[in-house]
Amino acid sequence: MAEVRVHNFSISLDGFATGEGQSLEAPFGHAGERLHEWFVGTRFFRAQDGLSGGTQGVDNAFAEQHNPRIGAEIMGAGKFGPPGWQDDPDWKGWWGPNPPYHTPVFVLTHRPRPSIEMEGGTTFHFLDAGPAEALAQAREAAPGADVRIGGGPTVVRDFLAEGLIDYMHVAQVPILLGRGVRLWDGLESLEQTYTIEPVSTPSGVTHLTFTARR
């Protein structure tokens, strides 16, 4: 059966998935790229950019699980663009003309706009919808395939709160941010509904997998 999945979602030791002060110049606020250095350094990520080399081992093994079987993605407005992107009719995301998704992508925003078809099979659809409604549309767009919840933290938290995520991979990075947007706020007792398994790595990243108990 098709699943709803989260992959390679990075948080700090104090639970922040993005920093404070997001802007066009600083997509992750004061966190910079520190949350994602482990990911961009993997062989998997470098290969996506046509580059050789990169780390292997456990970090790369988790990174490689990002794309297989994914037929659609759901993301929040804060992942699609900086604050105020809705006021720019020419904004088409951070990723250039050929975004890395290659599937339908559903962007949750209170100010929808017409869909944007990009190169490589990515089409951005803009929805003013809650988690269940957005998931129903994503499933319809990806019959039989899995749906990835891409973030940011508020979107992942909302889907967790409604029990809609089947599998989640969180990479806990050994840094402290102190401020920003936390993943876990308002969530309690996930250990009662998910089997949680930690894997430590030489890089200092702890990979946490959450598998729903059905």
Side-chain angles (χ1 to χ4, degrees):
M1 180 179 293
E3 294 187 331
V4 180
R5 296 155 42 193
V6 175
H7 284 285
N8 301 310
F9 192 82
S10 297
I11 64 171
S12 62
L13 289 173
D14 45 353
F16 292 97
T18 192
E20 188 176 85
Q22 289 175 282
S23 67
L24 181 63
E25 295 75 22
F28 297 99
H30 82 288
E33 296 298 329
R34 289 180 292 162
L35 285 168
H36 308 102
E37 287 175 351
W38 76 271
F39 182 58
V40 300
T42 61
R43 179 180 292 267
F44 165 80
F45 185 90
R46 289 179 61 83
Q48 307 306 298
D49 285 341
L51 302 174
S52 60
T55 60
Q56 301 186 57
V58 175
D59 287 345
N60 189 65
F62 275 101
E64 286 181 334
Q65 298 176 27
H66 195 74
N67 291 326
R69 306 186 309 281
I70 296 297
E73 168 140 347
I74 298 171
M75 68 172 63
K79 181 174 180 178
F80 183 74
W85 65 261
Q86 294 94 337
D87 295 320
D88 180 357
D90 296 323
W91 181 261
K92 298 180 180 180
W94 302 101
W95 307 280
N98 188 3
Y101 302 102
H102 313 300
T103 67
V105 177
F106 294 86
V107 181
L108 304 182
T109 172
H110 294 303
R111 294 172 60 185
R113 60 172 61 178
S115 297
I116 304 174
E117 186 173 347
M118 308 290 286
E119 296 176 14
T122 300
T123 300
F124 291 113
H125 305 283
F126 301 90
L127 303 178
D128 184 2
E133 181 183 347
L135 180 56
Q137 293 198 38
R139 286 192 188 279
E140 185 176 352
D146 293 350
V147 175
R148 185 171 57 219
I149 309 302
T154 302
V155 170
V156 174
R157 188 191 314 134
D158 289 346
F159 276 78
L160 283 170
E162 294 196 17
L164 296 175
I165 292 176
D166 300 298
Y167 174 88
M168 178 172 67
H169 163 229
V170 173
Q172 184 173 273
V173 180
I175 64 172
L176 293 169
L177 291 180
R179 53 198 167 97
V181 184
R182 285 171 47 89
L183 174 61
W184 304 122
D185 287 356
L187 297 174
E188 298 181 9
S189 303
L190 285 180
E191 73 280 359
Q192 296 180 9
T193 53
Y194 288 88
T195 299
I196 305 172
E197 297 183 9
V199 178
S200 299
T201 70
S203 69
V205 174
T206 300
H207 297 278
L208 301 165
T209 59
F210 295 70
T211 305
R213 297 172 179 169
R214 301 303 189 194

